[in-house]
């Protein structure tokens, strides 16, 4: 089963107010495990970064000025993701921004049903606990040392590890058989005949002598 872990970085937090995408990152999963195939691109948003977004991503207006527009990269992006479902942390945010960009190009957007939201999974699994990506990485001992700033591809790689833990880790369920149909062989142990354990005459006599030496035994009380 193919899935795409997806993340975006943006100029701000509200696409309805004109904020735009500045970075897209994707990590391909096959049977929930990263394949090594990734997609990452910076995008010129045609507007300035907000102070909040600059603080989170470190992406400056000068850095983004010579990057391609969303319309220039959309075909490569769509080719990479294909028809695979998305794994997204807070799916409404990223799907909302992607659909806004697609609408500007008069392209069809993505239905929310295509996305698996890891925030919702985490909240169901750990009610009342923090569900941020940082918090989940710490819960599952996923290395955060490289996350000085938010980056779409790095966040996808972290989320891929978190997603695997949220759905049960590398060995899901109780079956040890691989999906390739590998058969696990078991060897039957040789059944040995039972050994006789009946007491000998000498052992019975010794036992009776010991019992007779017990004073005021409960089983002899009248």
């Amino acid at each position: 089963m193919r899935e795409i872990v997806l993340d975006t970085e943006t100029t701000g937090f509200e696409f309805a107010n004109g904020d735009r995408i500045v970075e897209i990152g994707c990590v391909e999963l096959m049977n929930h495990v990263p394949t090594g195939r990734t997609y990452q691109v910076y995008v010129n948003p045609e507007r300035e970064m907000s102070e909040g977004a600059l603080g989170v991503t470190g992406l400056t207006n000068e850095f983004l000025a010579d990057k391609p527009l969303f319309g220039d990269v959309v075909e490569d992006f769509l080719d990479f993701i294909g028809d695979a479902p998305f794994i997204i942390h807070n799916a409404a945010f990223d799907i909302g921004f992607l659909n806004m960009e697609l609408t500007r190009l008069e392209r069809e957007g993505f239905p929310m049903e295509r996305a698996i939201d890891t925030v919702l999974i985490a909240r169901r699994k750990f009610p009342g606990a923090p569900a941020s990506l940082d918090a989940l990485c710490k819960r599952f001992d996923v290395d955060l040392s490289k996350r000085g700033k938010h980056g779409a591809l790095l966040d996808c790689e972290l989320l891929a590890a978190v997603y695997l833990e949220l759905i049960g880790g590398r060995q899901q369920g109780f079956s040890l058989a691989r999906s390739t149909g590998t058969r696990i062989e078991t060897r039957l142990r040789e059944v040995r005949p039972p050994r006789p354990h009946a007491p000998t005459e000498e052992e019975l006599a010794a036992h009776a002598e010991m019992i007779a030496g017990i004073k005021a035994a409960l089983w002899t009380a009248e």
Side-chain angles (χ1 to χ4, degrees):
M1 177 179 65
R2 184 174 186 263
E3 298 168 302
I4 297 296
V5 182
L6 186 148
D7 185 53
T8 63
E9 300 298 339
T10 61
T11 61
F13 304 110
E14 295 291 340
F15 64 84
N17 293 337
D19 284 314
R20 303 285 301 275
I21 288 176
V22 297
E23 185 186 7
I24 303 171
C26 300
V27 168
E28 181 186 64
L29 305 183
M30 193 64 70
N31 297 324
H32 308 313
V33 178
T35 65
R37 290 191 67 218
T38 63
Y39 174 87
Q40 188 271 341
V41 66
Y42 294 110
V43 177
N44 180 347
E46 301 181 281
R47 64 166 294 164
E48 292 189 351
M49 293 285 286
S50 68
E51 290 186 8
L54 176 61
V56 169
T57 66
L59 299 178
T60 65
N61 298 316
E62 294 74 19
F63 175 80
L64 295 169
D66 63 350
K67 300 302 182 285
L69 304 180
F70 184 84
D72 298 328
V73 303
V74 66
E75 294 299 339
D76 287 343
F77 168 62
L78 294 176
D79 285 346
F80 182 86
I81 63 175
D83 59 358
F86 300 133
I87 311 300
I88 305 177
H89 204 66
N90 189 15
F93 180 89
D94 298 274
I95 294 294
F97 269 93
L98 287 168
N99 285 350
M100 175 272 296
E101 297 284 3
L102 290 168
T103 298
R104 289 171 65 98
L105 298 175
E106 298 182 349
R107 305 289 292 264
E108 184 178 356
F110 302 120
M112 279 300 300
E113 293 77 14
R114 182 169 173 174
I116 298 170
D117 193 334
T118 48
V119 170
L120 299 181
I121 297 175
R123 286 175 177 168
R124 286 196 299 266
K125 194 164 187 177
F126 308 111
S132 69
L133 184 56
D134 276 359
L136 292 172
C137 284
K138 292 173 183 177
R139 173 182 287 275
F140 295 125
D141 294 323
V142 175
D143 185 9
L144 278 168
S145 60
K146 296 181 181 179
R147 201 188 191 212
K149 296 286 186 180
H150 288 215
L153 184 57
L154 175 59
D155 285 0
C156 285
E157 292 169 347
L158 295 174
L159 183 57
V162 166
Y163 174 59
L164 192 58
E165 296 294 337
L166 285 173
I167 61 175
R170 290 191 178 274
Q171 180 56 55
Q172 299 177 45
F174 297 101
S175 173
L176 296 177
R178 298 175 61 186
S179 60
T180 55
T182 301
R183 185 164 58 105
I184 298 176
E185 296 183 357
T186 58
R187 288 185 293 177
L188 297 177
R189 297 180 60 186
E190 180 183 357
V191 179
R192 297 179 179 178
R195 298 177 181 178
H197 292 288
T200 65
E201 293 295 331
E202 291 79 6
E203 289 172 334
L204 289 172
H207 179 69
E209 183 179 353
M210 181 194 69
I211 293 298
I214 298 176
K215 297 180 179 179
L218 293 177
W219 55 84
T220 61
E222 297 181 358

